[in-house]
Amino acid sequence: MADPRHELGKRAEDAAASFLEDGGFVVMGRNVRAGRREIDIVARDGPVVIIVEVRTRSAGAWVGP
């Protein structure tokens, strides 16, 4: 059985990638390894390259996104 937190994170990353693509960015990579670290999304719009860390919060979180 899949971990519900993993599924929530995957849906959040999918939503973030779609948001960027709708805004004209080209997603160049997802879950890119950089040494021991992982970059959730690397996207580009012309000369601008962005690195995105996607975070989620549950409905009972103390703070908002």
Side-chain angles (χ1 to χ4, degrees), residues 17 19-28 43-46 48-50:
F19 177 82
L20 292 169
E21 289 172 334
D22 290 347
F25 282 85
V26 175
V27 173
M28 300 170 55
R44 178 180 184 172
D45 183 11
V48 177
V49 176
I50 61 170

Side-chain angles (χ1 to χ4, degrees), residues 3-4 7-8 24 38-39 54 57 64:
D3 181 354
E7 293 299 320
L8 176 62
E38 181 183 85
I39 300 169
V54 178
R57 301 208 194 287

Side-chain angles (χ1 to χ4, degrees), residues 10-33:
K10 171 92 170 72
R11 286 196 319 267
E13 286 182 15
D14 290 345
S18 292
F19 177 82
L20 292 169
E21 289 172 334
D22 290 347
F25 282 85
V26 175
V27 173
M28 300 170 55
R30 292 182 62 177
N31 302 312
V32 177
R33 300 296 301 178

